[in-house]
Amino acid sequence: MLYPDHPQALLRSALASLQQGALHDARALFQQLLAKERSLNAVLWSAICEFQLADYPAAIDLFQQAAALEPQQASHYYNMGLSFHELGKLDAAFDAYSQAIALQDDHAEAFNNRGIIQAACGNYCSAIVDYTTALLLDENFIDARFNRAVAYSEQLLYHKAMAEYHAVLK
């Protein structure tokens, strides 16, 4: 039997709270757990909780810790990118998505999100390349197709934009 303050018991309780949507309770339990150990599970689940609470600076810090513990895991960098993006730190988000892609070159979501950053910066040609890559990886990725249509519109390539919009509506 595990005592209530044992790391595994804390992790189970925190995950149960997280699953039930009791995010503040989960945060408190994860903080207790992190005071006892800095395991990958503790750090990563705590980062996810902070992201869900919209505490993006805390989430970034924890995703960075997760990346330090497991540097070859693309999802840590992808999640950092999401967090930076939520804060409006587009350069940092771009770098994080690029790192995720460098580690996992079939990460369609990372290509799509990096394309969103490119488009937000006015780099529509680069955005189109990223959206196209996302679609090559997942031809049913509706968000990437829609984003590419918008980028085509911004480039005044209306015939291509219309074809994409029609594909989205099918």
Side-chain angles (χ1 to χ4, degrees):
M1 177 173 154
L2 297 176
Y3 293 101
D5 65 342
H6 186 276
Q8 286 301 320
L10 283 170
L11 180 59
R12 282 191 208 127
S13 295
L15 290 173
S17 293
L18 190 63
Q19 187 176 25
Q20 294 166 2
L23 298 178
H24 292 285
D25 293 342
R27 172 191 266 168
L29 290 164
F30 282 125
Q31 287 173 346
Q32 288 177 41
L33 176 59
L34 289 172
K36 292 182 178 294
E37 70 174 29
R38 286 286 203 211
S39 69
L40 179 61
N41 274 338
V43 170
L44 188 55
W45 283 109
S46 184
I48 291 166
C49 182
E50 295 297 344
F51 185 88
Q52 290 181 354
L53 283 164
D55 187 345
Y56 303 116
I60 290 165
D61 178 57
L62 289 159
F63 285 127
Q64 288 172 333
Q65 290 178 43
L69 293 168
E70 191 179 36
Q72 297 303 312
Q73 183 60 41
S75 64
H76 304 326
Y77 299 95
Y78 175 75
N79 289 323
M80 265 188 265
L82 291 174
S83 301
F84 281 124
H85 197 166
E86 288 292 335
L87 288 174
K89 296 184 176 186
L90 300 185
D91 289 341
F94 178 88
D95 291 343
Y97 292 136
S98 295
Q99 183 65 34
I101 291 165
L103 292 170
Q104 184 182 338
D105 63 0
D106 65 346
H107 201 307
E109 294 86 358
F111 278 104
N112 181 63
N113 288 3
R114 190 173 73 176
I116 292 169
I117 301 294
Q118 298 272 28
C121 295
N123 302 324
Y124 297 107
C125 290
S126 297
I128 290 167
V129 170
D130 278 344
Y131 300 141
T132 300
T133 304
L135 287 164
L136 290 171
L137 294 168
D138 179 359
E139 65 185 32
N140 297 314
F141 196 165
I142 298 299
D143 289 345
R145 190 164 303 283
F146 180 81
N147 292 336
R148 187 167 71 173
V150 172
Y152 281 145
S153 294
E154 292 293 332
Q155 290 294 102
L156 307 179
L157 300 170
Y158 298 119
H159 61 287
K160 288 185 175 187
M162 289 303 295
E164 292 293 347
Y165 287 127
H166 283 121
V168 167
L169 295 174
K170 283 185 181 178

